[in-house]
Amino acid sequence: MRVGLKRSLAAWLVISLAVLTSTWLGHTLEYLRLRGADGTGQQLLGSVHAYMLPLALVLEILVILAMAAFYRAWRALGVRIQQAEAAIALAWRGKYPDLSGRPLRPIRAITGRSLWMMLAPVELALYVIQENVEAMRIGLGAPGLGVVTGVHWPAIFVHMAILLILCNLLAAALHMLVKRARGVDQVERLVRLIGRRLRRQNNAPRLVPVWLATPIQRFGRHLWRRPPPLLRLSVST
């Protein structure tokens, strides 16, 4: 599976988890507002809302897994920046720096307000569907949009407030991750630049010094001396 596809899938899973968690909290807080603690306990244990407690357990497990994944990503970025700093230290000593990991792909940050505006209609639709299904399960007709115009009209503001808080938390966590990833990318870019320059220097042709001998070194110093006298042999007749 490619990195881009993994990121997209993880993003959609986190967004879906945020919407489901906000819907569960908004639904429970609305019943807490109307019926108090006793009424909320009864609606969580009642036949119509019997799915709420198992759903809460599943959501809690998913939130823990999401936090663990965020911690692993944060720690992995920390390891990469330590490796990059160590590579720079090797480059100062004239050694070729090497990075084992692939270059990071850019991660886009998002504001909490933008995320909230995108998810607000989805959560309202989920809340309306949930209330209509529960009404039909106990034999009542589907109220349609009446679930947000009757006694439960403040539920809209409850859901939207909870969703806004969760969206701001997600945006803050993503901003921290993006800022750390950009720092890692900048340091790794510097390491790769240093590595390319060192490689060019190592592969560049070098001038080998050629030893040129002087005439004295080549022929010897005796050539600069007066030659010895020649011997003549006299023949008597």
Side-chain angles (χ1 to χ4, degrees), residues 90-213:
L90 290 176
W92 280 109
R93 299 175 184 175
K95 299 181 180 179
Y96 179 73
D98 187 16
L99 295 176
S100 57
R102 297 180 179 179
L104 289 175
R105 294 190 176 184
I107 305 175
R108 295 182 180 179
I110 189 172
T111 62
R113 183 176 61 180
S114 301
L115 186 61
W116 177 77
M117 294 179 65
M118 181 178 63
L119 298 181
V122 179
E123 178 162 350
L124 287 179
L126 286 177
Y127 175 69
V128 172
I129 293 173
Q130 181 185 17
E131 290 295 329
N132 280 270
V133 171
E134 290 177 354
M136 289 187 295
R137 284 191 60 187
I138 60 177
L140 300 177
L145 295 178
V147 297
V148 295
T149 58
V151 69
H152 292 291
W153 68 268
I156 298 178
F157 301 97
V158 174
H159 280 269
M160 293 298 98
I162 295 174
L163 182 62
L164 182 60
I165 294 173
L166 293 180
C167 289
N168 285 328
L169 291 176
L170 286 178
L174 182 61
H175 177 73
M176 293 171 57
L177 196 64
V178 169
K179 185 177 180 180
R180 191 175 180 89
R182 287 176 179 173
V184 174
D185 184 62
Q186 290 176 357
V187 177
E188 289 185 348
R189 285 176 182 270
L190 177 61
V191 173
R192 292 188 179 92
L193 177 61
I194 295 175
R196 286 194 297 267
R197 292 190 175 182
L198 289 178
R199 186 180 299 173
R200 290 175 184 174
Q201 292 179 1
N202 294 333
N203 296 333
R206 298 182 179 180
L207 297 177
V208 180
V210 179
W211 180 73
L212 298 177

Side-chain angles (χ1 to χ4, degrees), residues 15-104:
I15 290 175
S16 302
L17 178 60
V19 173
L20 292 176
T21 303
S22 179
T23 303
W24 191 95
L25 291 174
H27 188 277
T28 304
L29 291 178
E30 175 61 16
Y31 273 87
L32 181 63
R33 182 186 67 85
L34 290 176
R35 303 182 182 181
D38 296 336
T40 303
Q42 293 177 2
Q43 70 95 12
L44 288 177
L45 299 175
S47 59
V48 180
H49 303 93
Y51 67 93
M52 294 292 286
L53 287 180
L55 180 60
L57 180 61
V58 173
L59 291 176
E60 183 177 0
I61 294 174
L62 293 178
V63 168
I64 293 174
L65 293 177
M67 293 176 65
F70 176 82
Y71 175 75
R72 287 196 301 269
W74 183 269
R75 188 174 181 180
L77 290 175
V79 172
R80 292 189 64 159
I81 198 170
Q82 290 178 358
Q83 293 176 351
E85 291 175 351
I88 292 178
L90 290 176
W92 280 109
R93 299 175 184 175
K95 299 181 180 179
Y96 179 73
D98 187 16
L99 295 176
S100 57
R102 297 180 179 179
L104 289 175

